[in-house]
Amino acid sequence: MSNKWTPQQWQAITTRGTNLLVAAGAGAGKTAVLVERIIRRITDPRAPINVDQLLVVTFTNAAAAEMRERIGGALTEAVANNPEDERLARQLALLGRASIATLHSFCLDLLRQYFYRVGLDPAFRVADATEAELLRIDVLEQLLEEKYQTEDETFLHLVDAYGGSHDDGRLQEIILQLDKLASSQPDPEVWLEQLPQILQDKEVFQDWLGQLGRLVKEELLAARNALRSALAIASQPDGPEQYIDCLQQELLQVEYVLDSVPDYAWDELRQQVRTIAFARLPSKRGGDKVLREQAKQAREEAKKCLQKLEGILLAQSEAELVDGLAAVVPAMELLCQLVCHFRHRFAQAKQQKGLVDFNDLEHLALRILREGGAVEVRQRYAEILVDEYQDINGVQEAILQLVADPEGKSNQLFMVGDVKQSIYRFRLADPTLFLHKYKTYGEQPQLGRRIDLAHNFRSRPSVLAAVNFLFRQLMTETVGELAYDTSAELVAGANYPEAEGTLTPQVEVMLLERSTGAASTDDEEDPLAELDATSREARCVAQAIRRLVEEERPRVWDKQLQAYRPLAYRDIVILLRVTQGRANTYLEQLRQLEVPAYAELGSGYFQATEVQTMLSLLQIIDNPRQDIPLAAVLRSPLVGLSGAELAQIRLARPQESFYAAVLEASSQRDRLGEKLRQFLADLDRWREEARRNNLSELIWQIYRDTGYFRQVGAMPGGAQRQANLRALHDRARQYEQTSFRGLFRFLRFIERLQAEEGDLGTAPALGENDDVVRIMSVHKSKGLEFPVVFVGGMGNQFKICNGTCWSIRNWDWDPWR
């Protein structure tokens, strides 16, 4: 065994003849292990295989490109060391045709080869996201319009109940979401047919009651912990001891019910919870005022938990719950029928245009494999290697199982992943598929072998110790579907040379008050007093970064140089759970302290003035009789009218549309009339071009005619503004590469995008090597390395989706113990 590898890594590289699940933690070198396994399969002296006999599946094109590049580099090195080996040299030539790609690319190759088996037009093409979304909306609206014409009472009831307050937008969202969930299943129609039956299944109902019972227990635990905290405060030397008797009685009531939760039937549990009574606290004043208020506040938290139980979780009896589910069944049946009809209509619409979307790639490939293609495809590959296996869903799992040998004798599955990175079910991933193999491979080795790669070669031991300490207490099977035991812990594997001037301490917790409380005489001198919680946190982070880079100047390890160098801004990242709505605040505070920073925002694009102005102009090019967009364009730098001139236009035709007033004012022989005549002439010309030319050409022509692109470049933040305008042009060009055409449809798509997603991130205006602090989401930073990391928003309550939602505040943890 090479000294380069740990014993576990070496096992993952060399184990043969069985399905293999490699549970690789963060920084465990899984990609290096994957590449080494591939190279050793190719160069095996006893049973070598060609590189094109391997199917390597990744989840992003970037990961596939990196994998191909690494394999190519390893092969080049091997050929250099063995120049006479002709077979090895041939592998470099075969690398270009090797199946190293995303699962979607693999499915696309299957469709191009076996299109005739599923009745697909050989000239089909893959619809991009914009085109698919536009077609999806058209099909759904047409389907719902036909349903309205039937005046079916059940459908109208469904719309009234779930459609929304003013339109059926909410119902459309439900249909599209249900379609998306169905598409992640191997048999979508079967899955949809079974949904209404689940509502009437007694075993499922009892399991659901069990889940509700666990939620009830969580709330009771939260109430108990809050009362314990209140009692601990009241028991302090200066605490309100007059509250102790009352708090003890209330705590005993909660603990009595809590200890017997598993023994109660649902209705009995409701009754027992309702017996918990909170008495009125003694009116006698005593003890420190601050401690008295803290005790009251903790007690109020307990009362809120009980109110939530009585008003929400335990609001209905078991009979009422059964009746409620029975009443929902007809609506659920109709909803599932609507989704099925929508899927069939959408499939027909795509077939007419010769299109397939990403869901079609998977389902049509699965159909090819099920209908006889699996045997032929299986013979091509000696092994299937899957990266990021924790992000797999049901359809993808079915495809991989069909490509692999069902008996596990010829081509086995080599699966690498970390379920701890998929507990939030990103993109409808089903981590239970990973967890099932994780448990069964450990208990039944005949089904496959499990190898844990726990060594982390990225972080320092102190960082890993802090992570392990935290997650040993937080991650359980109830919360995260996996117990953070010794097999899940990260083990330090990286050795950093000792040097003076490095960062100490390497793990630090910054504690801030979320609110400053009542104003005090010192608030005037406190720069944080006027800030909200997020801004206060961002200011403290900005101060710490500035102090690190400008004053302390610690030395950090550079992996490329293999040496220490002074800390730079680009070495620092601020991680947030969600950047939208928070990254802007961080950017503002960093800019105030002159700390260069950059974030890919999930908002701000449609709110950008230059984008709003261009969209308003496109709206009146499509239809000039729109008062608000017309007034916005006239007031903008495109025309440059003042508020007084707009009022003068309005007075030209007070009772008619603003466009009619503009036509009237343009006939006047004055300076305003001249401006309007020039604008109307340009508008007529642009409207003519919109009918004749491409939309992207029209947008760039407007930039040239008005000089608006150059003008925004001269404004503050000009580079960002020009990047936003270029992004609008690029989106128009992408739109025209679809089967849709026309300005009206483009504007309609933009409106839908704003309604559903709210906004887009501003166009990027910085490169990867700029010396700035990055602000990223935790997910975005996955796989990246930064010497200094600030994690923000750690004081916010969060929820983890596990069938139901669990709140961190409900865990059995008492800060006063």
Side-chain angles (χ1 to χ4, degrees):
M1 183 184 74
S2 171
N3 293 330
K4 179 182 177 182
W5 309 103
T6 66
Q8 294 80 13
Q9 287 177 324
W10 187 250
Q11 290 175 17
I13 291 169
T14 58
T15 300
R16 302 282 188 273
T18 183
N19 290 330
L20 198 61
L21 180 71
V22 179
K30 63 181 179 63
T31 304
V33 167
L34 202 59
V35 171
E36 185 67 17
R37 181 179 177 88
I38 291 171
I39 296 300
R40 290 187 176 271
R41 289 301 308 267
I42 295 170
T43 60
D44 191 324
R46 289 177 296 178
I49 61 174
N50 293 325
V51 68
D52 61 347
Q53 290 179 273
L54 295 171
L55 171 59
V56 184
V57 176
T58 66
F59 272 80
T60 65
N61 290 319
E66 180 188 1
M67 186 70 66
R68 190 181 295 272
E69 183 180 354
R70 287 203 187 192
I71 294 171
L75 282 173
T76 301
E77 183 179 352
V79 170
N81 295 332
N82 301 276
E84 298 179 358
D85 192 331
E86 295 183 0
R87 184 189 168 279
L88 200 57
R90 182 168 173 265
Q91 302 308 308
L92 280 173
L94 292 175
L95 184 60
R97 55 179 282 186
S99 299
I100 306 171
T102 65
L103 193 61
H104 283 143
S105 296
F106 169 70
C107 293
L108 180 59
D109 289 340
L110 284 183
L111 292 189
R112 285 173 174 160
Q113 186 173 1
Y114 298 105
F115 60 89
Y116 55 88
R117 292 194 175 187
V118 289
L120 197 61
D121 186 341
F124 76 90
R125 64 180 179 84
V126 181
D128 68 10
T130 300
E131 184 174 17
E133 181 65 18
L134 289 171
L135 187 59
R136 186 178 286 109
I137 293 168
D138 283 349
V139 170
L140 180 56
E141 289 183 347
Q142 184 179 357
L143 173 62
L144 292 180
E145 185 62 32
E146 292 178 6
K147 294 297 294 184
Y148 280 119
Q149 293 176 3
T150 63
E151 298 184 357
D152 179 72
E153 290 187 5
T154 307
F155 172 74
L156 295 178
H157 172 71
L158 181 67
V159 175
D160 290 339
Y162 302 103
S165 56
H166 302 293
D167 54 24
D168 59 6
R170 178 58 184 152
L171 178 61
Q172 292 188 33
E173 292 177 11
I174 293 173
I175 292 173
L176 293 175
Q177 184 65 22
L178 201 53
D179 169 60
K180 186 184 296 186
L181 289 170
S183 295
S184 69
Q185 305 297 322
D187 300 291
E189 279 71 24
V190 174
W191 183 78
L192 287 168
E193 290 175 2
Q194 292 175 347
L195 281 183
Q197 302 172 14
I198 292 176
L199 295 176
Q200 305 174 78
D201 190 298
K202 293 183 179 179
E203 289 187 9
V204 173
F205 176 75
Q206 290 301 322
D207 181 63
W208 181 53
L209 279 186
Q211 292 188 42
L212 290 179
R214 288 191 289 272
L215 285 176
V216 171
K217 184 175 181 179
E218 292 294 322
E219 289 297 328
L220 289 172
L221 283 170
R224 186 197 68 181
N225 291 340
L227 287 173
R228 283 182 176 179
S229 296
L231 189 58
I233 295 169
S235 301
Q236 292 185 29
D238 292 331
E241 61 180 11
Q242 66 273 20
Y243 295 167
I244 291 179
D245 290 342
C246 183
L247 291 171
Q248 286 177 337
Q249 290 298 321
E250 292 165 352
L251 179 58
L252 286 173
Q253 294 179 67
V254 171
E255 288 181 335
Y256 174 79
V257 177
L258 183 58
D259 291 340
S260 305
V261 165
D263 302 328
Y264 291 135
W266 181 256
D267 290 338
E268 189 178 0
L269 177 61
R270 293 179 71 227
Q271 185 61 35
Q272 289 296 328
V273 169
R274 290 182 177 182
T275 62
I276 300 174
F278 283 80
R280 184 175 181 179
L281 287 174
S283 58
K284 176 185 174 183
R285 292 182 176 274
D288 181 77
K289 180 180 178 181
V290 174
L291 293 178
R292 192 165 63 241
E293 289 301 318
Q294 288 179 352
K296 287 182 178 180
Q297 185 176 359
R299 183 173 180 267
E300 283 298 317
E301 286 297 319
K303 291 174 70 174
K304 288 179 182 177
C305 292
L306 271 297
Q307 290 168 0
K308 177 181 178 181
L309 288 177
E310 294 184 18
I312 301 176
L313 291 175
L314 297 171
Q316 292 182 308
S317 66
E318 183 172 342
E320 289 173 329
L321 290 172
V322 171
D323 292 341
L325 289 175
V328 171
V329 170
M332 191 64 186
E333 289 176 341
L334 178 58
L335 180 61
C336 291
Q337 290 173 11
L338 283 174
V339 176
C340 287
H341 292 162
F342 165 72
R343 291 179 61 84
H344 294 153
R345 295 276 192 93
F346 188 39
Q348 291 174 356
K350 287 182 291 186
Q351 188 175 23
Q352 290 173 359
K353 293 178 176 289
L355 300 175
V356 294
D357 61 14
F358 287 110
N359 289 329
D360 294 329
L361 293 179
E362 294 177 346
H363 283 281
L364 291 175
L366 180 59
R367 183 177 158 192
I368 289 171
L369 294 172
R370 282 177 168 176
E371 296 178 1
V375 176
E376 183 177 341
V377 173
R378 196 179 295 146
Q379 293 172 351
R380 301 179 194 170
Y381 302 111
E383 186 170 83
I384 298 96
L385 302 100
V386 187
D387 194 14
E388 304 291 358
Y389 181 71
Q390 78 277 355
D391 289 330
I392 212 83
N393 65 31
V395 185
Q396 296 161 349
E397 171 74 358
I399 291 171
L400 294 174
Q401 292 297 334
L402 285 169
V403 176
D405 181 7
E407 298 181 1
K409 295 180 180 178
S410 55
N411 58 345
Q412 290 88 25
L413 277 168
F414 179 85
M415 300 155 284
V416 185
D418 181 14
V419 75
K420 297 188 293 295
Q421 300 181 45
S422 188
I423 58 174
Y424 47 86
R425 288 176 166 83
F426 182 64
R427 291 178 181 170
L428 301 179
D430 185 0
T432 59
L433 296 169
F434 184 102
L435 285 168
H436 176 71
K437 289 185 175 63
Y438 186 85
K439 294 176 181 177
T440 55
Y441 282 13
E443 298 169 355
Q444 305 176 48
Q446 69 275 13
L447 298 178
R449 186 173 176 184
R450 185 187 95 194
I451 297 175
D452 294 311
L453 300 185
H455 284 79
N456 177 288
F457 299 93
R458 180 180 302 162
S459 304
R460 293 179 180 271
S462 58
V463 174
L464 300 181
V467 171
N468 288 335
F469 171 77
L470 182 65
F471 282 96
R472 272 196 300 267
Q473 300 176 76
L474 299 184
M475 186 173 284
T476 64
E477 289 197 17
T478 301
V479 175
E481 299 177 334
L482 178 72
Y484 200 85
D485 53 19
T486 53
S487 64
E489 288 183 358
L490 298 172
V491 179
N495 293 316
Y496 289 92
E498 295 294 333
E500 293 184 3
T502 58
L503 282 170
T504 54
Q506 289 160 352
V507 178
E508 183 179 355
V509 178
M510 300 169 61
L511 296 178
L512 293 172
E513 291 286 346
R514 293 188 63 84
S515 62
T516 56
S520 67
T521 56
D522 296 333
D523 284 350
E524 296 179 0
E525 301 177 3
D526 184 3
L528 304 181
E530 300 297 326
L531 302 177
D532 59 29
T534 303
S535 299
R536 191 178 304 113
E537 181 182 280
R539 174 69 66 88
C540 289
V541 171
Q543 290 172 342
I545 291 174
R546 186 176 175 85
R547 183 172 61 252
L548 276 172
V549 179
E550 301 294 336
E551 299 175 14
E552 299 178 10
R553 302 284 290 174
R555 299 173 66 79
V556 296
W557 181 254
D558 190 310
K559 293 189 69 174
Q560 293 182 341
L561 298 176
Q562 288 294 298
Y564 283 98
R565 58 168 175 78
L567 176 72
Y569 284 118
R570 66 176 179 273
D571 298 320
I572 301 174
V573 67
I574 300 172
L575 299 184
L576 303 171
R577 281 169 48 215
V578 180
T579 56
Q580 188 169 359
R582 299 179 65 86
N584 278 319
T585 303
Y586 272 81
L587 284 174
E588 178 61 27
Q589 294 300 325
L590 290 164
R591 286 168 184 163
Q592 286 187 16
L593 294 184
E594 299 181 350
V595 175
Y598 172 72
E600 291 186 14
L601 301 176
S603 62
Y605 182 76
F606 290 125
Q607 277 70 40
T609 303
E610 61 278 3
V611 176
Q612 286 185 326
T613 299
M614 281 302 301
L615 289 177
S616 295
L617 180 56
L618 292 176
Q619 285 178 302
I620 62 173
I621 290 174
D622 177 57
N623 177 12
R625 298 183 181 276
Q626 300 183 74
D627 289 359
I628 294 178
L630 179 57
V633 171
L634 293 175
R635 187 71 177 88
S636 74
L638 290 170
V639 181
L641 299 187
S642 65
E645 288 173 323
L646 290 179
Q648 187 178 342
I649 293 173
R650 180 73 276 177
L651 292 173
R653 289 284 180 89
Q655 304 301 323
E656 299 184 30
S657 69
F658 195 70
Y659 180 67
V662 168
L663 294 177
E664 179 64 27
S666 67
S667 64
Q668 302 300 317
R669 298 297 175 180
D670 55 11
R671 186 169 175 273
L672 176 59
E674 184 178 346
K675 284 184 180 180
L676 293 176
R677 285 193 295 275
Q678 179 61 48
F679 166 70
L680 291 172
D682 290 339
L683 184 62
D684 288 340
R685 179 162 48 83
W686 292 331
R687 297 193 72 196
E688 184 65 26
E689 294 210 10
R691 289 189 288 268
R692 293 183 175 182
N693 299 327
N694 292 334
L695 178 57
S696 57
E697 293 178 4
L698 169 66
I699 290 175
W700 204 256
Q701 183 64 43
I702 293 172
Y703 292 166
R704 287 197 297 266
D705 292 346
T706 61
Y708 191 53
F709 186 82
R710 294 191 299 272
Q711 185 177 4
V712 300
M715 296 178 181
Q720 180 65 67
R721 296 177 187 274
Q722 287 185 329
N724 287 339
L725 291 181
R726 279 195 297 269
L728 181 65
H729 172 264
D730 291 341
R731 286 187 174 108
R733 186 174 56 189
Q734 292 169 4
Y735 161 79
E736 289 181 323
Q737 292 173 355
T738 70
S739 59
F740 293 93
R741 293 292 184 274
L743 176 57
F744 172 75
R745 280 186 175 271
F746 176 73
L747 292 172
R748 186 180 177 205
F749 168 70
I750 293 295
E751 290 175 4
R752 185 81 182 195
L753 193 63
Q754 289 179 274
E756 291 189 354
E757 299 185 13
D759 206 345
L760 295 175
T762 52
L766 287 176
E768 286 297 320
N769 296 320
D770 291 320
D771 190 22
V772 296
V773 175
R774 261 71 177 179
I775 302 175
M776 295 181 173
S777 68
V778 173
H779 178 78
K780 184 77 173 179
S781 68
K782 182 179 174 184
L784 301 180
E785 297 180 30
F786 291 90
V788 178
V789 179
F790 288 84
V791 184
M794 295 299 287
N796 294 339
Q797 184 174 312
F798 68 92
K799 294 183 177 180
I800 301 173
C801 185
N802 179 18
T804 52
C805 288
W806 306 85
S807 171
I808 188 171
R809 70 177 176 83
N810 292 343
W811 293 335
D812 190 7
W813 176 70
D814 185 354
W816 292 97
R817 283 190 302 194

